């Protein structure tokens, strides 16, 4: 199926699943591996990973890119590098991810706010226990400064990129405040 054409200045919500039978992604070494891969891709000017969450068998990203080709190259680079590093970590060979990632273009403040909430609080949807009053430690939630009831770390970490699109910088706030559900 052909991907929806990217609207310039629109972020995307992307998710990718690992193949069945592989170890959980939601562990410290796997999280560290993802952060190393994201830190290397941060140097790209035309592709940015702004937020993420790691679940047991899949990862969600909120990304930005200049065009569909930049998104495809950027995601291809992230997933290829991540697969190599995970295989090395696990002592395995072969495919790590399913055939394709899924993406959704975020076109409005409401859609963007909902995607941010979905990604940053996705662990709750999967029944993962989290410490009260804190964002998921396997997400970028602690660096999100838009919580109405949690003060995130304002500095963007070395493995994430600062949002460049209006929708991710401030446009999403038109749809209302975001409250950390675990508080």
């Amino acid at each position: 199926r052909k991907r929806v054409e990217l609207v310039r200045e629109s972020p995307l919500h992307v998710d990718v699943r690992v193949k069945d039978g592989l170890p959980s992604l939601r562990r410290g070494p796997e999280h560290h591996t993802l952060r190393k891969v994201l830190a290397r891709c941060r140097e790209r000017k035309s592709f940015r990973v702004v937020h993420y969450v790691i679940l047991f068998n899949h990862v969600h990203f909120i990304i930005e890119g200049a065009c569909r080709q930049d998104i495809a190259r950027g995601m291809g680079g992230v997933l290829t590098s991540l697969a190599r590093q995970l295989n090395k970590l696990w002592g395995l060979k072969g495919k790590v991810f399913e055939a394709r990632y899924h993406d959704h273009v975020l076109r409005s403040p409401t859609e963007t706010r909902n995607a941010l909430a979905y990604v940053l609080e996705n662990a709750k949807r999967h029944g993962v226990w989290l410490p009260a009053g804190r964002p998921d430690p396997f997400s970028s939630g602690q660096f999100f400064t838009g919580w109405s009831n949690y003060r995130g770390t304002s500095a963007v970490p070395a493995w994430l990129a600062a949002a460049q699109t209006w929708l991710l910088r401030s446009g999403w706030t038109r749809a209302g405040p975001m409250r950390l559900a675990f508080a």
Side-chain angles (χ1 to χ4, degrees):
R1 196 175 65 164
K2 188 176 179 185
R3 295 191 187 277
V4 175
E5 196 56 39
L6 179 66
V7 177
R8 187 141 178 91
E9 296 300 314
S10 292
L12 286 87
H13 171 203
V14 175
D15 70 277
V16 61
R17 293 193 171 280
V18 297
K19 293 181 66 92
D20 289 339
L22 292 176
S24 173
L25 295 174
R26 200 172 166 87
R27 299 186 305 186
E30 287 78 359
H31 191 196
H32 180 71
T33 299
L34 175 67
R35 289 188 308 229
K36 280 187 349 190
V37 168
L38 294 181
R40 275 182 284 180
C41 89
R42 187 176 181 204
E43 305 305 316
R44 293 178 178 216
K45 300 287 186 233
S46 57
F47 173 81
R48 294 171 297 285
V49 175
V50 180
H51 288 291
Y52 70 91
V53 64
I54 302 171
L55 279 303
F56 301 103
N57 66 346
H58 65 285
V59 182
H60 290 273
F61 299 101
I62 300 287
I63 63 172
E64 297 175 327
C67 65
R68 180 53 78 181
Q69 188 177 34
D70 291 337
I71 296 293
R73 284 182 183 154
M75 283 305 299
V78 166
L79 296 180
T80 299
S81 182
L82 185 55
R84 284 183 181 144
Q85 295 301 314
L86 288 172
N87 271 331
K88 186 176 176 181
L89 175 68
W90 296 332
L92 299 173
K93 291 182 180 183
K95 287 184 78 170
V96 171
F97 297 104
E98 290 183 351
R100 289 177 64 154
Y101 60 88
H102 300 96
D103 65 18
H104 177 77
V105 178
L106 306 174
R107 301 171 192 254
S108 71
T110 301
E111 205 171 16
T112 305
R113 185 211 175 278
N114 291 344
L116 284 166
Y118 183 84
V119 168
L120 296 177
E121 297 195 301
N122 199 265
K124 178 183 175 189
R125 294 177 182 275
H126 291 276
V128 175
W129 177 87
L130 296 170
R134 304 206 43 88
D136 181 2
F138 289 90
S139 78
S140 57
Q142 65 184 328
F143 305 103
F144 179 65
T145 58
W147 300 116
S148 65
N149 60 339
Y150 177 81
R151 185 173 296 249
T153 306
S154 60
V156 177
W159 59 89
L160 292 176
Q164 300 296 313
T165 60
W166 172 77
L167 282 170
L168 279 178
R169 279 192 334 268
S170 61
W172 69 268
T173 61
R174 289 189 177 183
M178 277 185 33
R179 186 167 175 75
L180 182 61
F182 307 114

